[in-house]
Amino acid sequence: MGKRVKQVPYLAEELISWVEDIKDKNGSSAGALYILKDNDVVVEHYSGGHSHEENARNVQADSQFNVASARKSYLGLAVSFALYDKYIESLDDPISEYMPELDPEIVMGTTIRHLVTHSHGLHIDEKGNWFREFKAGTGWAYRNIGVEILTELIQRLYGKGFPQLLEERIFSRIGLKETGWRTEPDESLVNIIGEVTEPALSGLGTTNDGTEKNLFVSVKEFALWGQLHLQKGRMNGEQIVPSQVIELSTSIQNGPYYDSSLPDNGLFWYVQGDARLRSEMGERVPRDSYQILGVTGPTLLVIPSLNVVVAKMYNKRYNYGGEDYLHYLREFSNKVADLFIDCQQP
């Protein structure tokens, strides 16, 4: 006989309680948790309202959250498409080959690989001037300049923004209707809480070309985005994305670091190799798992060895815990791993 799987919803009560506790402690008005196991929905949880306003819409299945930096996983897949389509020859191509107008003294030695793994070492000062923090490939720093460069690169290579590329190749083919870079108000869009005592923010942008942080996604479609990756691009009996595109995006792509605490990355995804102290994933999360999150609290965790996808949503800027925020992110992923490892015990 094979291993028996226990009743996940019952075991997930502690996980839901944890999600709710952090939501309340951090001042988020909205929360959602959606878990797929073996392609079945085993947890679906919604709580709170779209803002702290008394008449705010309740969070429900069609509520779309601003996923902030989690949008990088979508850009990363577009970069992987560009490699597959031969618009980019190699991740190790210098970015200057594609964008010769960049200051050669500053970007010298910076490759596409460095840009997608946060190891580029580029930064921008308060006056908007670019400068180098460290030699490319030798360190790790979470800087959005790499995102801006690659967003422009995809626009140049395809003649369209990466959201339009993904809409054509993926979203429209698998029926994603609650995923998009939003520019107009809609009752389904969850507001962003900046400060609890101040009016909520819309999170809307002025364009849908991917240059702004205005991607809104329902928790279900966020999970389906993870499921697409878990299944190596195959959905509804059809190979939507070539498996090589997914594998490149979700496997470790950075080189070794002298500092062993620095996290490993795929194409923007955090990827679990050896457990790293500065990774968003805890030490009990199985190898080859991968995760992406945003400053407003969305987390998408994929654990291939357990056939699990977990999507968690909040709507409060800055993850709970202040300078110790990584502790709580790692705690959440460890709890997920423990839950499903326990489920598989004989």
Side-chain angles (χ1 to χ4, degrees):
M1 292 179 64
K3 294 179 179 178
R4 292 184 301 161
V5 178
K6 300 176 184 178
Q7 289 296 315
V8 175
Y10 170 75
L11 293 175
E13 288 179 3
E14 180 183 348
L15 190 61
I16 292 172
S17 294
W18 187 96
V19 168
E20 285 299 300
D21 183 52
I22 297 298
K23 174 177 78 72
D24 294 339
K25 286 179 176 177
N26 204 34
S28 182
S29 74
L33 182 66
Y34 196 96
I35 303 179
L36 298 169
K37 166 68 175 170
D38 299 328
N39 207 23
D40 289 328
V41 181
V42 294
V43 175
E44 186 175 7
H45 169 78
Y46 306 98
S47 71
H50 284 202
S51 74
H52 287 300
E53 296 294 327
E54 190 173 336
N55 61 346
R57 184 178 190 252
N58 289 332
V59 176
Q60 48 201 278
D62 68 343
S63 295
Q64 297 173 38
F65 292 73
N66 184 301
V67 296
S69 287
R71 75 191 190 284
K72 293 178 175 67
S73 64
Y74 298 78
L75 173 59
L77 199 65
V79 173
S80 194
F81 265 125
L83 281 152
Y84 183 83
D85 293 339
K86 307 300 184 184
Y87 283 105
I88 297 172
E89 184 175 341
S90 168
L91 281 178
D92 294 312
D93 288 348
I95 188 59
S96 57
E97 289 186 4
Y98 299 87
M99 304 176 77
E101 76 279 8
L102 298 179
D103 187 331
E105 292 187 10
I106 295 177
V107 303
M108 182 180 298
T110 305
T111 67
I112 294 172
R113 184 184 303 278
H114 296 140
L115 294 169
V116 293
T117 58
H118 301 296
S119 61
H120 51 78
L122 302 174
H123 200 10
I124 303 177
D125 64 22
E126 294 179 353
K127 296 181 179 179
N129 299 311
W130 290 24
F131 67 94
R132 179 162 291 285
E133 287 186 278
F134 53 82
K135 183 180 178 181
T138 64
W140 184 97
Y142 194 92
R143 309 298 186 206
N144 278 325
I145 185 172
V147 176
E148 294 167 6
I149 292 172
L150 291 173
T151 298
E152 173 62 22
L153 176 62
I154 295 300
Q155 174 70 49
R156 294 188 188 187
L157 294 177
Y158 285 95
K160 65 187 73 171
F162 75 89
Q164 286 70 45
L165 175 67
L166 297 181
E167 172 65 32
E168 294 170 5
R169 296 200 176 186
I170 302 175
F171 301 167
S172 62
R173 295 181 64 186
I174 63 177
L176 298 187
K177 302 294 186 183
E178 297 163 357
T179 298
W181 280 255
R182 306 307 188 197
T183 60
E184 300 291 338
D186 188 278
E187 67 170 8
S188 65
L189 304 183
V190 179
N191 294 127
I192 298 172
I193 307 301
E195 297 295 335
V196 175
T197 57
E198 298 178 359
L201 310 170
S202 74
L204 296 172
T206 60
T207 178
N208 64 356
D209 64 2
T211 57
E212 297 178 273
K213 304 173 184 179
N214 56 328
L215 173 59
F216 284 78
V217 189
S218 68
V219 70
K220 175 184 177 180
E221 292 197 358
F222 203 36
L224 289 177
W225 180 245
Q227 190 71 13
L228 175 74
H229 287 72
L230 176 66
Q231 297 179 168
K232 305 289 189 186
R234 190 170 183 81
M235 294 284 281
N236 304 322
E238 182 182 0
Q239 193 69 41
I240 303 297
V241 180
S243 60
Q244 305 97 304
V245 173
I246 299 290
E247 289 164 1
L248 178 70
S249 186
T250 58
S251 57
I252 295 172
Q253 297 300 336
N254 55 271
Y257 299 119
Y258 292 116
D259 183 351
S260 61
S261 72
L262 297 178
D264 289 314
N265 289 99
L267 304 195
F268 291 117
W269 291 92
Y270 288 73
V271 181
Q272 187 83 314
D274 293 332
R276 306 289 186 181
L277 288 177
R278 291 175 61 184
S279 173
E280 300 169 348
M281 287 180 286
E283 70 283 356
R284 298 196 297 278
V285 176
R287 293 181 70 90
D288 299 323
S289 301
Y290 43 96
Q291 178 172 288
I292 197 83
L293 75 125
V295 72
T296 49
T299 302
L300 182 58
L301 172 62
V302 181
I303 308 179
S305 64
L306 300 175
N307 208 15
V308 166
V309 175
V310 179
K312 171 175 64 68
M313 296 293 207
Y314 293 132
N315 68 326
K316 172 69 169 60
R317 279 187 61 80
Y318 301 114
N319 288 278
Y320 178 71
E323 293 184 356
D324 201 27
Y325 76 100
L326 274 179
H327 166 79
Y328 295 95
L329 297 175
R330 293 165 62 84
E331 183 178 60
F332 174 73
S333 62
N334 277 335
K335 283 183 176 293
V336 170
D338 292 344
L339 167 65
F340 286 97
I341 290 172
D342 185 48
C343 283
Q344 297 201 150
Q345 297 304 312

